[in-house]
Amino acid sequence: MTEILEATTGNIAKAAARLKEGGLVAFPTETVYGLGADATNDRAVAAIFEAKGRPSFNPVIVHVNDRAEADRIVEFTKSAALLASVFWPGPLTLILPRKESSGLSLLTSAGLPTQAVRAPSHPVARDLIKALGKPIAAPSANASGSLSPTTPQHVAQSLGDRAGLVLAGGKSAVGLESTVVDLSGPVPVLLRPGAVTLEDLKMHVGDVQVELEAKGEKPKSPGQLLRHYAPKTPLRLRAVDVKPGEALLAFGPIRFMGLQGGGAAKDMPPEMRMNLSENRDLTEAAANLFSMLHQLDARGFQGIAVMDIPETGLGLAINDRLRRAAGAQKA
Ligand code: TXA
Ligand code: MG
């Protein structure tokens, strides 16, 4: 049974404690209910993807209470500052360059250098962010492929136990996901229409391009605006050994893995190998995926050999990202 709790002060404190421990909490916003996690905790953010059963890691929105909190995690452009001053708190999400010092899990942006941020206006969402004292990462609180939830009952029907705890705060007034605008490039680009309309945006920042994302939560097709994380170093997937000049991104024990030309992977220098999860735990692997890829990529190896990861549960999303990252270099 899903635990649905009225959003009293005591229950909001309980929900914040759950988030602090790395747990998930579904909570009301004015647009739709969100499935929240501490945005700075890799494992907690990985658990969101696990709960939703998403076959890929789409970047998720990080929720803050005001401009000052957003300033700690992203670089504001002039247009972004203007839009935030007019529409926050409210149903507008801004995509902006993420600061190196943001402290956010790289999973929230699926490895991209940009970050989606939004200040919701729903008082329960605001109180929860305040009680946690950190940004909350939250996609809509529904299983992948089903409709976005606007009541606590929708959340319970769609996610069941996987929602963790559901804070009930009535029906979402807007009932549609927030407008998403990418302000990381030279011209603002509307990626998802919502209650803040194209006309509203144009009134404040002039020219706005429109590049709507694919409907639903299917992996985006090439040519669509959502870019994918691509390391500089070539990836070799489903590797059963390591070639000279390659680093190793392992999954599980490596005691039987060899080096081409002789030797054992376990004797490689520590800076040449990282393990997504020694215990073959897919949630742990998802939590480590982008940060380990970034670290190995920065060290200038000729290649990265990536061990096989099973195509089950979160393994689907991990493999989807690895394949895109491997394919991107050939293009
Ligand atoms: O109303 C909402 O926005 C709700 C509530 C809970 O706040 N949240 C929501 O999150 O709809 P989600 O994860 O279902 O949708 C986030 C959207 C996706 O379409 C995603 O592709 C896009 O924002 N997005 C997030 N980060 C992005 C980035 N760095 N670049 C491009 N698109 C991004
Ligand atoms: Mg959604």
Side-chain angles (χ1 to χ4, degrees):
M1 273 279 289
T2 325
E3 195 180 358
I4 300 182
L5 298 177
E6 262 325 299
T8 59
T9 308
N11 285 335
I12 291 173
K14 182 174 172 179
R18 190 74 74 92
L19 292 172
K20 273 182 197 146
E21 291 160 7
L24 301 183
V25 170
F27 64 98
T29 85
E30 72 281 17
T31 57
V32 299
Y33 274 67
L35 182 61
D38 172 353
T40 65
N41 181 332
D42 283 318
R43 287 214 57 152
V45 178
I48 293 177
F49 291 98
E50 192 173 31
K52 284 186 62 104
R54 272 190 181 176
S56 63
F57 294 121
N58 283 345
V60 299
I61 298 168
V62 161
H63 298 73
V64 295
N65 268 348
D66 53 35
R67 170 69 201 277
E69 286 177 23
D71 273 327
R72 285 187 213 128
I73 55 183
V74 288
E75 301 283 355
F76 270 75
T77 60
K78 239 173 141 179
S79 300
L82 194 59
L83 292 177
S85 72
V86 177
F87 296 107
W88 278 8
L92 178 67
T93 295
L94 306 176
I95 313 266
L96 290 166
R98 189 186 47 246
K99 286 187 173 167
E100 198 81 55
S101 58
S102 74
L104 297 176
S105 163
L106 292 186
L107 259 188
T108 62
S109 51
L112 296 172
T114 53
Q115 183 71 53
V117 278
R118 173 166 108 81
S121 62
H122 197 293
V124 174
R126 296 179 60 77
D127 287 348
L128 186 63
I129 295 165
K130 196 166 163 208
L132 178 63
K134 287 184 193 173
I136 298 180
S140 48
N142 54 290
S144 181
S146 57
L147 289 177
S148 289
T150 52
T151 65
Q153 289 72 31
H154 289 166
V155 178
Q157 281 158 17
S158 185
L159 291 174
D161 285 345
R162 290 171 293 158
L165 181 162
V166 184
L167 275 180
K171 192 168 184 299
S172 294
V174 176
L176 252 190
E177 281 123 324
S178 62
T179 304
V180 178
V181 194
D182 185 349
L183 294 156
S184 66
V187 181
V189 183
L190 175 67
L191 297 181
R192 185 172 73 184
V196 173
T197 64
L198 181 61
E199 291 72 23
D200 292 333
L201 296 170
K202 283 184 169 166
M203 201 189 301
H204 296 282
V205 297
D207 192 23
V208 177
Q209 285 176 11
V210 181
E211 289 188 42
L212 301 187
E213 293 180 353
K215 285 264 184 306
E217 299 187 286
K218 289 187 216 82
K220 310 286 184 285
S221 57
Q224 252 148 346
L225 200 81
L226 182 62
R227 299 188 209 294
H228 295 291
Y229 166 64
K232 298 187 296 288
T233 317
L235 300 186
R236 190 164 62 83
L237 305 185
R238 307 186 67 174
V240 293
D241 55 13
V242 183
K243 292 183 183 172
E246 276 184 342
L248 172 64
L249 185 61
F251 177 73
I254 59 165
R255 56 184 177 274
F256 299 120
M257 189 166 219
L259 304 180
Q260 280 186 22
K266 65 177 170 44
D267 301 323
M268 290 168 76
E271 66 276 11
M272 293 189 71
R273 57 184 160 89
M274 298 192 104
N275 205 323
L276 289 168
S277 171
E278 310 251 2
N279 307 322
R280 297 177 60 84
D281 172 342
L282 288 166
T283 310
E284 183 182 18
N288 286 329
L289 180 66
F290 292 108
S291 65
M292 289 187 174
L293 279 173
H294 274 280
Q295 288 177 66
L296 290 177
D297 194 28
R299 293 179 198 162
F301 296 110
Q302 281 170 36
I304 302 173
V306 186
M307 276 169 75
D308 191 34
I309 291 160
E311 285 276 355
T312 56
L314 268 183
L316 293 179
I318 296 172
N319 283 322
D320 171 70
R321 278 300 141 153
L322 285 170
R323 277 191 293 268
R324 288 172 194 272
Q329 293 139 356
K330 288 171 207 129

